[in-house]
Amino acid sequence: MNKLSYTLSAVALALVLSGCGQSNAQQGQQPPPLTIDVANVQLEEVQSWHTFTTRLEAPERVVLKPRVSGQLKSMAFKEGERVEKGQLLFSIDPRPFATQVESLKAQLVSAEAALSQAQGEAERAQRLVAKNAMSTEQADQRDVTLRRAIAKKNAIAAQLEKAQLDLEFSQVTAPISGVISRADVTQGNYVSAGDTALTTIVSDDLVYAYFDVDERTWSKQFAGMNADTGVMVQLQRINSQQPIAGNVDFIDNEINPTTGTLRVRAVFDAQAHNLKPGAFARISMAAQTPKILAIVPERAIGTDLKNRFVLTVDENNTLQYRLVELGERYGAYRAIKSGLVRGDRIAVNGPARVGPGMPITPNKVAFNFENTQFVLKSTNTSSDLLVSAAK
């Protein structure tokens, strides 16, 4: 019985030792390399630019006020529509002005008749004096009468001209072409010359974007800029991914000592892009000429204390540590000033799951630059047309 027990124990021990040996053999096997996304470094033409916030403004804005006082008779436009320069907008009751014109015309006729009579008498006096048939004093008196008649006629003529202008001004026309606002005063109300605001008109062919550049940025990045060269800028509206091209057409002649900024103005085609004065916008202005740099995804860059690095893939598919110098960011991508060259392969997703010295199985992917803008280019609008239109 004891002999049978020893035999069973030996068999059990052998089975245990056999299982341990098999487990150790399995633990000694190396796991397969981790598969990660790898892409070739791309070289692209890139440009550094600065972005400023602004509100769009109309080049021309008129608060329309009457030039004569009177009762508003009618309104001859539809609120919110586009009006042309010279188009009739409001009519002030013209009857008082027409009456004044007719009265002054009659006075002018009388003054002209009196002047004609005075001229005849003055000429006759000169002939009589020459024949010693009239005294010099009488002739001088007739000459004074003539000059008074001339002055009265000129005064009435001037009053008539003013009355005719008042009659003309009773018909209020658009001083500029543009989009008209609502009527602030309606038919039947009395309006005062130069005081009552009738409505507002803003031009709609172009819009201005004024923005301020701080003195340090201007001196470092834009000191050589000249508005006459039509420097290109881009406008970005709220909730719109499509940039709109424009040009710088004005740079102020001095830096504001209070704010330490320089006022710059860009001009854009309002009608082509339905731009409204008062709208919020961001203006991007290029700070340098384009240059070619390596481009990598932002997520591929790691941080090591003060250093920035990427993980490159060598010929043995092993990850290597590579220091880089960062440039500008462009959406999901970053320009690399130094550290990478054409042909380098990098770990697209960076050091999140892997580290230097690790072997990998590369999964080749490509960058998608379709919605990424690296340089400010003329889009949608001709820069030359904008410059000429602004001038």
Side-chain angles (χ1 to χ4, degrees), residues 333-379:
Y333 295 92
R334 174 77 70 167
I336 303 299
K337 293 182 179 180
S338 62
L340 293 174
V341 296
R342 186 191 299 273
D344 284 340
R345 295 187 301 165
I346 64 167
V348 173
N349 295 314
R353 299 169 52 200
V354 294
M358 290 182 57
I360 63 163
T361 299
N363 176 41
K364 189 173 182 180
V365 297
F367 299 148
N368 181 8
F369 297 151
E370 182 178 353
N371 297 319
T372 304
Q373 184 177 11
F374 296 109
V375 296
L376 290 179
K377 294 181 179 179
S378 179
T379 57

Side-chain angles (χ1 to χ4, degrees), residues 59-354:
E60 295 180 291
R61 183 179 186 274
V62 175
V63 177
L64 194 62
K65 295 182 179 181
R67 301 173 74 172
V68 294
S69 299
Q71 188 177 41
L72 199 61
K73 182 180 180 181
S74 64
M75 183 181 75
F77 67 93
K78 182 178 179 181
E79 295 174 317
E81 71 176 1
R82 191 177 195 279
V83 297
E84 299 296 332
K85 183 178 181 179
Q87 178 179 333
L88 177 64
L89 302 178
F90 294 92
S91 178
I92 298 172
D93 188 355
R95 291 174 297 177
F97 308 106
T99 301
Q100 181 70 8
V101 168
E102 294 303 320
S103 174
L104 288 171
K105 283 182 178 179
Q107 294 180 42
L108 182 60
V109 171
S110 177
E112 288 174 344
L115 173 61
S116 179
Q117 181 181 1
Q119 286 177 332
E121 291 180 355
E123 291 172 357
R124 196 160 40 251
Q126 294 298 325
R127 291 194 298 269
L128 292 175
V129 168
K131 297 177 180 180
N132 293 324
M134 178 180 285
S135 66
T136 304
E137 290 79 3
Q138 289 178 316
D140 290 343
Q141 184 61 41
R142 291 188 181 184
D143 189 56
V144 170
T145 302
L146 173 61
R147 290 198 297 271
R148 287 176 177 172
I150 294 173
K152 184 175 181 180
K153 182 259 184 182
N154 290 341
I156 295 175
Q159 293 175 20
L160 175 60
E161 184 176 358
K162 180 182 182 302
Q164 288 173 330
L165 285 175
D166 289 344
L167 178 61
E168 179 183 341
F169 293 154
S170 68
Q171 307 304 298
V172 182
T173 60
I176 63 171
S177 296
V179 178
I180 194 166
S181 182
R182 69 180 183 88
D184 295 326
V185 181
T186 55
Q187 179 180 345
N189 285 282
Y190 186 87
V191 296
S192 300
D195 183 49
T196 306
L198 300 176
T199 188
T200 304
I201 306 174
V202 294
S203 59
D204 63 340
D205 51 350
L206 301 173
V207 290
Y208 287 155
Y210 288 92
F211 54 96
D212 297 320
V213 184
D214 67 89
E215 183 177 1
R216 178 173 296 181
T217 300
W218 179 266
S219 300
K220 184 178 180 180
Q221 302 286 353
F222 305 107
M225 180 181 294
N226 190 324
D228 293 336
T229 60
V231 177
M232 191 182 65
V233 297
Q234 283 190 347
L235 179 148
Q236 194 77 42
R237 291 178 291 186
I238 296 178
N239 299 328
S240 174
Q241 299 299 320
Q242 184 64 38
I244 298 172
N247 293 91
V248 170
D249 74 328
F250 165 77
I251 299 173
D252 212 346
N253 58 2
E254 62 180 358
I255 293 174
N256 187 325
T258 303
T259 62
T261 58
L262 183 68
R263 176 59 57 94
V264 180
R265 184 180 72 196
V267 59
F268 300 88
D269 189 332
Q271 291 187 347
H273 307 289
N274 194 28
L275 298 175
K276 295 288 187 182
F280 176 83
R282 290 183 174 87
I283 305 297
S284 296
M285 184 167 63
Q288 61 184 20
T289 56
K291 55 185 176 182
I292 297 176
L293 293 178
I295 302 295
V296 301
E298 182 71 20
R299 66 181 184 273
I301 302 170
T303 302
D304 181 11
L305 297 178
K306 294 183 179 180
N307 300 320
R308 297 298 181 92
F309 69 93
V310 297
L311 295 176
T312 60
V313 182
D314 63 16
E315 63 276 6
N316 298 319
N317 291 332
T318 301
L319 296 176
Q320 302 294 337
Y321 180 94
R322 182 79 63 85
L323 285 174
V324 293
E325 182 183 357
L326 302 186
E328 299 286 338
R329 181 169 180 172
Y330 304 92
Y333 295 92
R334 174 77 70 167
I336 303 299
K337 293 182 179 180
S338 62
L340 293 174
V341 296
R342 186 191 299 273
D344 284 340
R345 295 187 301 165
I346 64 167
V348 173
N349 295 314
R353 299 169 52 200
V354 294

